[in-house]
Amino acid sequence: MSGEYQQQYNAFKQNPAQFWLEQSKKIPWYKIPKKAYTQDEDGLYHWFSDGQLNTCFLALDQHVVAGFGDQTALIYDSPVTHTKQTFSYSQLQQEVAKFAGVMQSLGVTKGDRVVIYMPMIPQAVIGMLACARIGAIHSVVFGGFAAHELAVRIDDAKPKLILSASCGVEVCSVIEYKPLIDNAIELATHKVEHCIIYQRKQAIATLINDRDIDWNTAMQTAVATDPVPVNGNDPLYILYTSGTTGTPKGVVRENGGHAVAMNYSMKTVYDMEPGDVFWAASDIGWVVGHSYIVYAPLMYRCATVLYEGKPVRTPDASAFWRVVEEYKVSALFSAPTAFRAIKKEDPNADGFKQYNTSSLKRLFLAGERLDPPTYEWLKEKTKLPVLDHWWQTETGWAIACNPVGIEYLTTKSGSSTVPTPGFDVRILDMDGNECAANEQGAVVIKLPLPPGCLPTIWQDTPRFKASYLSEYEGYYLSSDGGYIDEDGYLFIMGRTDDVINVAGHRLSTGEMEEIVAAHPAVAECAVFAINDPLKGQLPMGMIVLKDDFVGSTKEVEQALVAAVRNQIGAIACLKNIVSVDRLPKTRSGKILRKNLRQLVDGEELQIPSTIDDASIFEEINQQLTQR
Ligand code: COA
Ligand code: AMP
């Protein structure tokens, strides 16, 4: 590679601090930062700590001040409620400023946490931006998580306030949020002062006196408030993500680095221009929603689409293309699983032909591996560039991409293309040596991570260091395996830990295992991911019942499925639990989950030499076929 991308990448490698200071000049600051990054007493890196800014000002006010107040900022399209609504930058700014006033009147100030548990409605975006406006730290919890998961996050973030709605609307059901919130507050040790509830007509919630406040009533008397300057290293939000245990990790995002990274990525990764329409078909509960439904498009003065629907069944597999035509979407970003769902229902892409999608320049895919059949199908049917890019909740933006805003590189099936400028990606072997081209190893990023990435885990720097920094000194461990080929293209091959990806939702098999193991009839268990043609991966559980167990095995299996659904949520999709006589283990007692996955997926078994008794796989296979 010798083109413009390589030049920009080299410029970053030669002097990362200088590279990012240049980028920082492209956004407005109250106080311009002089230093790019600093290390604190714990050795953690922070970007632009000596600068002052306000993320909400960047997303809204700066455009209104510059005369773009009438331009469209937010397009809400909800096929599940048959609602459409558009907000200009001025309108959104007014709503956000007023809602920020509501929170201030309840005593929420800079540094306070606010949990947002909301469906895909404009009020969720208003809530997030209003927090940013007053320097409060939001923590959005995906609406598909059950009360227990919400309670765990409440106890960790210790919010003053919860923002929610009376319900979420799924394809065939209305999910009442209020009972979930009440239950979560009951389960949590930390006591929340207030909940502000947005009442939706699909289900009106009963409000609890003195604690719950009706959103619209509060807005009637609200006084608009101005953005509060915050330091570059003040947290903007905490976003919990699955780790290897039942305790999620609170990924911290700081204002300064985030703003610079978001701004840089809109051009470099997505080749957007102000005024374009950007659509990330994700959910505000995930990192993609934070970065590319809310913050980056608005900071870059694009219009952003907030879509409360599915790729299929709302009403059919042409839904995405309808939205593209209706709002003249320039770039569509979603997870491969969404396109697999469309492909399954509309293999000839008749829906695509039905609409005028000429505004659409590119398709962006992330969240899980883009499988070659989906990639080929999308390319053939849409004739558009189909661009895979790799990232994580921890990084907040693409670690590897096709840097179309700098130079369009030839795509390779199965590759997320090349490291984004800012990310010094290496492949290391078990001894910490760099792998040769095409040799698989651990994908790591040399420190410091670029702006926008997590500096630490909320209130748990030891865990941050243990999870990400301890394996290879001086590098961030991504926990993805992969390789770089002879042309410098990166291929991500999958997680090397207990994190799995079910329909683009990041989940922990470790957490599911903890729930299953807690059942009194279970002696031991293993939960692992198996391949699924639609959702990419699905969890499967194997249990060994206690010797003295009497009763129905089937009933235990069903109870475990229900327990995981109740504690994590329906999105966990653990529907397959089977009882076996024993589980395969190494001589030191480690359960061979990888071999179980290979067995169920029909792959060749790579059995380690340390196994106790290899005939066990034949035994389990027989038990599975007998079911
Ligand atoms: N609130 C409450 N429940 C939710 C929910 C939410 N926000 N999202 C999903 N669920 C529930 C569903 O109703 C379903 O419940 P059920 O078992 O009672 O039917 C369950 O969780 C599983 O949902 P899902 O995994 O979404 O399966 P699905 O069959 O309804 O849809 C897809 C399959 C592929 C269409 C859908 O998962 C999808 O659009 N995925 C893309 C996800 C995405 O964009 N991720 C972001 C990465 S960029
Ligand atoms: P999340 O934190 O939910 O964004 O999930 C991050 C994980 O999803 C990564 O560690 C990868 O395992 C997987 N992932 C995300 N994007 C890609 C991609 N483009 N290719 C392969 N895996 C991906």
Side-chain angles (χ1 to χ4, degrees):
M1 257 174 282
S2 56
E4 282 181 53
Y5 157 74
Q6 196 59 55
Q7 279 175 27
Q8 200 166 127
Y9 194 79
N10 291 346
F12 140 67
K13 279 278 281 276
Q14 270 160 21
N15 193 340
Q18 185 57 32
F19 180 84
W20 286 113
L21 271 179
E22 281 305 312
Q23 291 304 326
S24 75
K25 292 179 187 156
K26 298 183 178 165
I27 61 163
W29 298 81
Y30 296 122
K31 184 170 162 237
I32 294 171
K34 293 206 172 63
K35 277 204 164 150
Y37 60 83
T38 43
Q39 267 182 292
D40 64 18
E41 62 277 12
D42 287 322
L44 306 175
Y45 291 93
H46 303 272
W47 286 89
F48 312 117
S49 305
D50 63 340
Q52 285 199 334
L53 75 169
N54 181 281
T55 296
C56 180
F57 176 86
L58 264 63
L60 302 175
D61 303 59
Q62 69 154 328
H63 309 312
V64 177
V65 171
F68 297 103
D70 291 339
Q71 196 191 295
T72 302
L74 182 68
I75 299 163
Y76 169 54
D77 186 293
S78 169
V80 289
T81 60
H82 309 287
T83 315
K84 293 172 188 176
Q85 195 180 1
T86 298
F87 294 78
S88 68
Y89 271 98
S90 292
Q91 287 167 331
L92 194 58
Q93 182 208 32
Q94 282 158 25
E95 291 292 307
V96 168
K98 266 169 66 180
F99 193 71
V102 169
M103 291 198 291
Q104 256 182 357
S105 71
L106 291 170
V108 178
T109 57
K110 184 169 168 254
D112 285 340
R113 273 81 57 214
V114 174
V115 160
I116 303 181
Y117 183 65
M118 290 185 101
M120 288 281 286
I121 56 175
Q123 287 69 26
V125 177
I126 291 168
M128 291 167 77
L129 291 166
C131 286
R133 195 170 188 85
I134 58 173
I137 305 165
H138 63 67
S139 184
V140 181
V141 179
F142 176 59
F145 279 125
H148 164 79
E149 290 292 314
L150 181 56
V152 170
R153 285 154 176 79
I154 290 173
D155 273 337
D156 199 70
K158 301 194 173 36
K160 223 175 207 174
L161 184 68
I162 295 182
L163 309 182
S164 192
S166 55
C167 64
V169 183
E170 280 294 291
V171 184
C172 308
S173 58
V174 171
I175 294 162
E176 291 195 37
Y177 278 23
K178 196 54 196 341
L180 296 170
I181 295 167
D182 291 343
N183 189 4
I185 291 176
E186 189 73 32
L187 290 170
T189 316
H190 172 78
K191 289 303 155 211
V192 177
E193 289 172 26
H194 293 290
C195 299
I196 305 184
I197 309 290
Y198 183 78
Q199 297 279 18
R200 305 185 81 190
K201 64 173 190 266
Q202 291 76 14
I204 300 294
T206 310
L207 304 187
I208 296 176
N209 275 345
D210 299 331
R211 191 196 73 190
D212 298 342
I213 297 163
D214 175 65
W215 183 295
N216 283 330
T217 311
M219 283 292 265
Q220 275 165 18
T221 50
V223 180
T225 187
D226 286 335
V228 171
V230 299
N231 294 329
N233 62 337
D234 280 332
L236 168 67
Y237 68 77
I238 307 164
L239 178 57
Y240 289 90
T241 192
S242 300
T244 50
T245 67
T247 316
K249 295 170 177 165
V251 167
V252 174
R253 195 86 61 215
E254 295 178 343
N255 280 277
H258 174 255
V260 173
M262 291 297 98
N263 190 63
Y264 176 71
S265 71
M266 282 304 277
K267 181 66 190 163
T268 304
V269 182
Y270 303 103
D271 196 23
M272 287 287 103
E273 294 298 330
D276 284 348
V277 182
F278 191 84
W279 180 22
S282 176
D283 190 288
I284 47 130
W286 306 116
V287 66
V288 174
H290 280 63
S291 296
Y292 295 107
I293 295 177
V294 184
Y295 289 112
L298 294 178
M299 285 184 190
Y300 209 65
R301 195 166 46 81
C302 290
T304 183
V305 180
L306 182 75
Y307 175 71
E308 191 183 23
K310 297 259 176 180
V312 292
R313 293 177 290 146
T314 57
D316 56 34
S318 70
F320 272 19
W321 316 124
R322 191 267 302 163
V323 173
V324 168
E325 177 186 291
E326 203 163 328
Y327 306 111
K328 300 197 172 34
V329 171
S330 292
L332 166 57
F333 172 1
S334 197
T337 188
F339 291 104
R340 283 197 297 271
I342 295 173
K343 179 178 160 214
K344 187 163 170 255
E345 294 201 6
D346 182 15
N348 294 322
D350 291 329
F352 183 74
K353 293 168 211 147
Q354 219 176 302
Y355 290 96
N356 177 355
T357 54
S358 56
S359 61
L360 194 58
K361 292 192 211 137
R362 293 176 193 96
L363 292 171
F364 294 94
L365 284 290
E368 54 173 330
R369 183 167 175 264
L370 173 54
D371 52 296
T374 306
Y375 169 75
E376 296 298 343
W377 181 82
L378 271 173
K379 249 179 39 164
E380 188 210 318
K381 299 298 179 196
T382 66
K383 309 274 185 277
L384 289 166
V386 178
L387 306 176
D388 185 12
H389 56 328
W390 169 58
W391 50 304
Q392 307 184 317
T393 304
E394 289 84 344
T395 64
W397 62 295
I399 310 162
C401 69
N402 195 322
V404 278
I406 309 173
E407 177 188 2
Y408 178 59
L409 300 175
T410 311
T411 55
K412 288 191 190 187
S413 180
S415 168
S416 42
T417 319
V418 291
T420 312
F423 291 93
D424 187 351
V425 179
R426 314 275 178 99
I427 311 292
L428 301 184
D429 67 18
M430 280 185 5
D431 300 322
N433 300 316
E434 253 181 81
C435 294
N438 296 307
E439 195 189 325
Q440 267 200 54
V443 186
V444 300
I445 305 164
K446 194 166 182 298
L447 297 174
L449 292 170
C453 299
L454 82 172
T456 189
I457 288 175
W458 179 250
Q459 308 267 305
D460 202 350
T461 293
R463 188 173 183 202
F464 172 69
K465 289 186 174 174
S467 306
Y468 302 104
L469 307 184
S470 63
E471 190 84 18
Y472 300 105
E473 209 191 321
Y475 294 93
Y476 163 89
L477 181 74
S478 73
S479 292
D480 274 306
Y483 64 92
I484 295 179
D485 76 1
E486 61 286 353
D487 297 323
Y489 278 57
L490 179 65
F491 291 76
I492 296 297
M493 303 309 288
R495 298 286 301 200
T496 52
D497 58 7
D498 292 342
V499 167
I500 63 169
N501 225 302
V502 181
H505 307 140
R506 177 165 160 178
L507 297 162
S508 161
T509 51
E511 178 177 13
M512 295 184 209
E513 233 176 66
E514 283 175 22
I515 297 169
V516 172
H519 192 284
V522 173
E524 53 185 359
C525 64
V527 178
F528 49 93
I530 56 171
N531 290 332
D532 182 74
L534 174 65
K535 299 196 174 183
Q537 292 186 310
L538 272 182
M540 174 173 182
M542 282 192 190
I543 54 169
V544 176
L545 292 172
K546 286 185 180 153
D547 287 347
D548 59 359
F549 169 74
V550 275
S552 156
T553 307
K554 190 122 213 92
E555 273 173 26
V556 174
E557 291 169 359
Q558 283 167 355
L560 292 171
V561 168
V564 171
R565 191 180 165 95
N566 286 339
Q567 287 195 49
I568 300 179
I571 50 158
C573 293
L574 176 57
K575 294 185 176 157
N576 197 356
I577 292 199
V578 291
S579 163
V580 293
D581 293 340
R582 54 192 185 124
L583 288 169
K585 289 184 196 159
T586 59
R587 275 183 215 115
S588 61
K590 197 167 169 280
I591 298 174
L592 294 163
R593 294 174 182 79
K594 185 172 161 197
N595 291 132
L596 287 171
R597 179 192 68 70
Q598 289 168 338
L599 181 78
V600 178
D601 283 341
E603 288 174 14
E604 193 187 328
L605 293 180
Q606 290 152 350
I607 302 172
S609 55
T610 51
I611 187 164
D612 217 12
D613 172 10
S615 69
I616 189 171
F617 291 105
E618 187 47 38
E619 190 184 302
I620 293 177
N621 206 14
Q622 275 175 14
Q623 287 170 17
L624 290 178
T625 38
Q626 275 161 14
R627 283 173 68 92

